[in-house]
Amino acid sequence: MRFCKYCGTEISETDELCPNCGRDLKSGSTDEATPKNSTINSVETVIKNIRKHPKILFGIAALIVCVLIIVIIVNPGKCKYSGCGNKAVSGSDYCYSHKCAVESCNDSRFLYSNYCYKHYLLYDDDAQEEFGSDPVYSHELKISNVKLSSNSSYTIAEGTITNNSDQTVSFVEIKGAFKTSSGSVVDTDWTYAVGSEGLEPGESCKWRLSVSKDWSIKDCTVTVIDFDY
C-alpha cells in the first residue's frame, strides 16, 4: 500500500501521478520537495483530516471559548467608581479600595466607611452616632413633601426624593410606614423611587406608595432602605 507523499491519498503501486492532487510520483522529479511546497502540503493534509473528522474542529472551538471565559473571569474590567481607574475585584464592579469590606458583598463603599450602606448600618460603630437613626435620610438622599391622600380603595403617600450626594445613585428603595395619629403602624409599602435610570447629584424625582384604605391612617414615615452608586 502506497500513499502520496504530497497529500496523503492512498495510491496504487503503478500510479505515476497522484489521482487526487495530480503531482508526479516518480522518484527524482521536479521541485515539489522544496520547503515551501512541503509546508503547503502539510497544511492541506491537516485541513483534509479536519474535514474527515469534524469533532476535532468542535473540540478546538470549545477550547477557545473556555480560554476566553477564563481570561474574562481572571481579568475583570475597571472599577466603576467615579474617577477610579483601578482593576475591579473578580466578581465585583469595584476595586479593593471601593468595594464593601464584607467579602460576600459586591456593592461599593458608603461615604468614608469600609462598608456599603447596608453593612455600614450593621457593622460600623459610627453609623448611628454620626448620622442618627436614619443616616441616608439626613445626609445623602432626602425625602420631602410627603402628602397623604386616598381614593375608594387605597391610602396613598406621595413625595419627593433628592440626591444630595456627589455621585449618581440608582435602584433606590424606599419604605413607607403608614401610622395612626398615636404613631402605631397600620401597614407598610415599599417601592423603587429610582430605577436603573439613576438620579444625578442635585436631581429630584417623585415617588408613590399605597396601602389598602384605612381611615385611621394619619401619617406616613418614609425611609431609604437601599441604593446603589
Side-chain angles (χ1 to χ4, degrees), residues 68-209:
L68 289 176
I69 292 174
I70 292 172
V71 169
I72 291 172
I73 293 175
V74 174
N75 297 291
K78 289 186 177 181
C79 175
K80 291 187 177 180
Y81 192 87
S82 179
C84 181
N86 296 331
K87 280 189 176 182
V89 177
S90 180
S92 174
D93 291 330
Y94 304 98
C95 65
Y96 281 108
S97 297
H98 295 115
K99 177 186 173 297
C100 177
V102 176
E103 186 175 354
S104 60
C105 180
N106 294 317
D107 294 334
S108 64
R109 295 184 180 185
F110 173 69
L111 297 179
Y112 53 79
S113 172
N114 289 327
Y115 303 100
C116 67
Y117 172 62
K118 290 181 290 187
H119 293 115
Y120 168 72
L121 296 180
L122 289 174
Y123 303 128
D124 199 313
D125 294 336
D126 295 333
Q128 299 298 323
E129 180 181 343
E130 182 75 14
F131 297 111
S133 60
D134 189 13
V136 170
Y137 178 86
S138 61
H139 187 80
E140 287 282 289
L141 303 175
K142 183 180 180 181
I143 301 292
S144 60
N145 304 323
V146 180
K147 296 180 180 179
L148 284 178
S149 61
S150 61
N151 55 32
S152 59
S153 302
Y154 298 99
T155 297
I156 302 164
E158 296 176 291
T160 303
I161 183 169
T162 303
N163 181 6
N164 291 327
S165 74
D166 59 357
Q167 296 188 68
T168 298
V169 295
S170 59
F171 297 106
V172 180
E173 297 178 50
I174 61 172
K175 177 182 178 182
F178 292 79
K179 302 177 181 179
T180 64
S181 56
S182 63
S184 299
V185 177
V186 177
D187 204 347
T188 61
D189 186 29
W190 76 275
T191 189
Y192 281 104
V194 181
S196 60
E197 73 280 2
L199 191 68
E200 295 184 4
E203 288 186 337
S204 299
C205 68
K206 303 289 186 180
W207 51 262
R208 185 176 187 272
L209 299 166

Side-chain angles (χ1 to χ4, degrees), residues 36-80:
K36 180 178 178 181
N37 287 331
S38 298
T39 302
I40 294 174
N41 293 332
S42 298
V43 172
E44 290 176 347
T45 302
V46 170
I47 293 173
K48 287 182 179 180
N49 286 333
I50 290 177
R51 288 175 178 174
K52 291 180 181 179
H53 305 283
K55 289 184 178 179
I56 296 177
L57 183 60
F58 293 138
I60 294 173
L63 180 60
I64 293 173
V65 171
C66 290
V67 170
L68 289 176
I69 292 174
I70 292 172
V71 169
I72 291 172
I73 293 175
V74 174
N75 297 291
K78 289 186 177 181
C79 175
K80 291 187 177 180

